[in-house]
């Protein structure tokens, strides 16, 4: 998840494919925002509902394909941090607004983190899948799953689906804690490095692990994760409220008050 030697180092295929796909998703998002601007409820959320179905379908296909292979290993199990989206996005979009409001902060903020990491460190998140997206199912799944998550961020903003509140920081932090509670024991029992729980290729953290030991390393790892997600939540709150204020100011008509004569 964190290959420091390859941070901000894109391959030729990354430099071509990633910007073009991002531009395409942004244009689609703008178009959806315009076309669905007058719609409400589930109709307006159709693009997000389709993404929810897509991520579930991709994960089911992945597990079904790898389950019967002789070289199956536990690393393909949906215990990675990104695997949370298989649950969070459907819970955010398929079970009503009141229920979905609990999970939207997590789905949105975690998706922003994945989006940032994908462009900062393509090799760590999507490997070399841009070089041959349709060459293997692994490349296909990796590329489209992560870009479905990126599309979720863009479309959520375009459709104004997630309306942030500062109290959402509790949900966001709680989700990371919950993930740590089940992913950590699974990583050790299955000897699989989900979310860098066993070791980290980001050298400063790996050095800390070797110095302080595994327990303190895991504590610091998840404290960093929680802090990062809270920061994303707070920053988006600030940006959202600033943009909303600007829109309201532009739409508000100036009312001239004429004081009546006595």
């Amino acid at each position: 998840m964190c290959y420091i030697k390859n941070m901000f180092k894109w391959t030729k295929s990354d430099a071509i494919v990633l910007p073009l796909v991002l531009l395409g998703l942004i244009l689609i998002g703008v178009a959806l925002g315009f076309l669905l601007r007058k719609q409400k409820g589930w109709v307006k959320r159709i693009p997000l509902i389709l993404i929810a179905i897509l991520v579930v379908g991709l994960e089911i296909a992945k597990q079904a394909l790898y389950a019967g292979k002789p070289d199956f290993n536990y690393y393909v199990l949906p215990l990675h941090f990104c695997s949370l989206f298989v649950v969070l996005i459907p819970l955010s979009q398929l079970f009503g607004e009141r229920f979905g409001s609990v999970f939207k902060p997590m789905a949105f903020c975690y998706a922003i983190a994945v989006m940032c990491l994908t462009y900062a460190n393509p090799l760590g998140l999507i490997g070399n899948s841009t070089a041959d997206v349709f060459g293997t199912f692994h490349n296909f799944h990796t590329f489209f799953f992560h870009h479905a998550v990126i599309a979720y961020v863009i479309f959520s903003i375009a459709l104004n689906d997630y309306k942030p509140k500062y109290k959402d920081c509790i949900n966001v932090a709680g989700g990371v804690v919950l993930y740590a509670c089940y992913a950590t024991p699974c990583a050790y029992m299955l000897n699989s490095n989900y979310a860098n729980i066993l070791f980290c290729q980001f050298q400063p953290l790996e050095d800390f692990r070797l110095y302080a030991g595994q327990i303190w390393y895991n504590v610091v790892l998840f404290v960093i994760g929680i802090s990062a997600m809270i920061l994303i939540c707070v920053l988006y709150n600030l940006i959202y409220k600033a943009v909303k204020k600007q829109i309201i100011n532009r739409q508000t008509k100036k009312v001239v008050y004429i004081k009546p004569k006595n």
Side-chain angles (χ1 to χ4, degrees), residues 22 33 40 56 79 92 111 115 120 122 125 146 151 160 172 182 198 249 261:
L22 178 61
K40 295 181 180 179
V56 172
L79 294 170
S92 299
M115 181 177 180
L125 270 290
H146 287 84
N160 193 28
V172 169
Y182 73 82
L198 300 186
N249 289 340
K261 296 180 180 181

Side-chain angles (χ1 to χ4, degrees), residues 163-235:
K163 301 171 180 62
K165 302 178 181 64
Y166 286 111
K167 66 179 182 180
D168 292 344
C169 292
I170 299 173
N171 303 47
V172 169
V176 178
V177 172
L178 180 62
Y179 173 75
C181 288
Y182 73 82
T184 302
C186 287
Y188 285 103
M189 288 188 296
L190 303 177
N191 194 31
S192 296
N193 193 33
Y194 307 120
N196 292 301
I197 290 170
L198 300 186
F199 58 88
C200 188
Q201 291 166 317
F202 180 65
Q203 198 59 48
L205 271 180
E206 180 62 13
D207 290 342
F208 176 78
R209 182 184 73 85
L210 296 173
Y211 170 77
Q214 205 69 29
I215 294 176
W216 281 111
Y217 163 71
N218 287 146
V219 170
V220 170
L221 179 69
F222 282 108
V223 167
I224 292 173
I226 291 169
S227 301
M229 297 309 170
I230 290 176
L231 179 62
I232 290 172
C233 188
V234 171
L235 288 177

Side-chain angles (χ1 to χ4, degrees), residues 6 25 29 55 63 72 88 101 135 180 187 216 218 251:
N6 295 286
L25 291 175
V55 294
Q63 297 305 319
F72 172 83
L88 292 179
S101 64
W216 281 111
N218 287 146
Q251 292 178 342

Side-chain angles (χ1 to χ4, degrees), residues 64-77:
L65 181 66
Y66 283 106
K69 286 195 171 185
D71 58 345
F72 172 83
N73 64 80
Y74 295 121
Y75 195 71
V76 304
L77 293 176

Side-chain angles (χ1 to χ4, degrees), residues 44-93:
K44 190 171 185 177
R45 293 187 293 106
I46 286 176
L48 300 174
I49 292 172
L50 291 176
I51 291 175
I53 296 171
L54 175 62
V55 294
V56 172
L58 284 171
E59 191 59 35
I60 291 174
K62 174 186 173 183
Q63 297 305 319
L65 181 66
Y66 283 106
K69 286 195 171 185
D71 58 345
F72 172 83
N73 64 80
Y74 295 121
Y75 195 71
V76 304
L77 293 176
L79 294 170
H80 299 269
F81 188 79
C82 287
S83 302
L84 287 173
F85 296 109
V86 178
V87 177
L88 292 179
I89 294 179
L91 288 177
S92 299
Q93 299 299 327

Side-chain angles (χ1 to χ4, degrees), residues 32 35-50 93 159:
L32 290 172
L35 294 172
L36 299 174
R37 66 190 185 282
K38 295 182 181 180
Q39 301 298 327
K40 295 181 180 179
W42 70 270
V43 175
K44 190 171 185 177
R45 293 187 293 106
I46 286 176
L48 300 174
I49 292 172
L50 291 176
Q93 299 299 327
L159 299 172

Side-chain angles (χ1 to χ4, degrees), residues 139-152:
N139 285 354
F140 175 84
H141 176 275
T142 300
F143 184 86
F144 280 97
F145 186 92
H146 287 84
H147 278 87
V149 173
I150 294 171
Y152 183 80

